[in-house]
Amino acid sequence: TYSYTVTNAGPASVKPKVTDNKCSPVTYVSGDTDNDGRVDPGEVWTFKCKYKVTQNPNTTLTNKATVKDAQRPSSGWFLGGDRNSSNNSDTWTLQVVP
């Protein structure tokens, strides 16, 4: 089971869409303290996803998780939301053991 933590530096609240290139679906666990469906500045949301490892032992498994602002326009000027989309992904590698 993969666990994901999503935070928001602000200034606006963001409706998150979390994806993983190896695991789907990524599901919400907790963190929406005001139940508005948006990651507010200061909130810490957690998600999870179950993945069946099919790689051989003694190999590595690398995956990439990404969170996007589900309501960010594709281009142009907008108010609020995620202003820095360059820090919305994380990649990690782990060793497959028997």
Side-chain angles (χ1 to χ4, degrees), residues 9-71:
S13 299
V14 177
K15 184 174 182 176
K17 179 179 180 184
V18 182
T19 58
D20 186 301
N21 70 333
K22 297 250 190 271
C23 189
S24 181
V26 177
T27 57
Y28 168 80
V29 175
S30 66
D32 190 5
T33 57
D34 60 358
N35 297 312
D36 66 352
R38 298 176 182 279
V39 182
D40 300 319
E43 283 185 331
V44 178
W45 284 28
T46 57
F47 295 81
K48 70 177 180 179
C49 190
K50 292 187 181 226
Y51 175 72
K52 182 177 181 179
V53 176
T54 58
Q55 289 76 5
N56 292 324
N58 301 316
T59 62
T60 58
L61 170 64
T62 300
N63 72 310
K64 181 178 183 178
T66 303
V67 61
K68 292 184 179 181
D69 179 349
Q71 297 177 319

